[in-house]
Amino acid sequence: MNIAIVKGNLTRDPELKYTPKGTAICNISIAVNEVWYNEAKEKQEKVHFFEVTAWGNRAETISKYFHKGKPILVTGKLQQESWDDKETGQKRSKVKIVMDSFDFCGDTKAGDQRPRGGAEAAQPDGNYEEPQQDGDDGAGSPF
């Protein structure tokens, strides 16, 4: 089973791009704060950072309604990417979250735009668009 659920704050404004076939792609980074107390009852804190990619309607909605610092709840699947570093020639890899759904979190302030019904109103079909592969027709498929 490959399910990731992350709730945190955006570390930067969303980056919206489009594939040559016109499919929207939005990359965000989420910071999740972890707080615990050690044996001496001293407060300990650690921040975890997660890269998230959204496709299609979700990508456009996130780009429109979210900004740096805004809280978000994301569900999706983990995906590992690998590449050769151009400078060192070494193999590199990272794990990111490919978004299936999201929801607005926290208080809404005056002036914040939010579609009625949260993320569900922005995603009425509930379909997930798979990342485009070379030669893919871009139709997408649910997972």
Side-chain angles (χ1 to χ4, degrees), residues 14-69:
E15 299 169 9
L16 181 65
K17 298 179 183 178
Y18 290 88
T19 67
K21 294 181 181 179
T23 302
I25 307 168
C26 185
N27 291 306
I28 59 173
S29 179
I30 299 174
V32 178
N33 297 317
E34 179 181 9
V35 178
W36 73 95
Y37 293 87
N38 64 16
E39 292 177 6
K41 300 198 190 265
E42 298 168 326
K43 185 177 181 180
Q44 305 291 306
E45 296 182 62
K46 186 171 185 177
V47 180
H48 304 279
F49 297 94
F50 298 94
E51 297 294 319
V52 180
T53 300
W55 291 83
N57 292 337
R58 288 173 188 81
E60 291 174 330
T61 302
I62 287 171
S63 176
K64 183 176 181 179
Y65 294 105
F66 286 87
H67 53 81
K68 180 179 179 178

Side-chain angles (χ1 to χ4, degrees), residues 78-102:
L78 299 176
Q79 183 179 62
Q80 185 170 8
E81 293 183 344
S82 301
W83 69 94
D84 293 325
D85 188 312
K86 291 180 182 178
E87 292 181 17
T88 65
Q90 294 181 326
K91 290 272 186 197
R92 302 280 316 246
S93 68
K94 70 177 178 179
V95 175
K96 67 177 184 176
I97 299 170
V98 178
M99 182 184 293
D100 177 38
S101 64
F102 70 93

Side-chain angles (χ1 to χ4, degrees), residues 2-6 74-78 97-101 128 143:
N2 184 358
I3 299 172
I5 303 171
V6 178
V74 169
T75 61
K77 64 181 179 178
L78 299 176
I97 299 170
V98 178
M99 182 184 293
D100 177 38
S101 64
Y128 170 79
F143 78 102

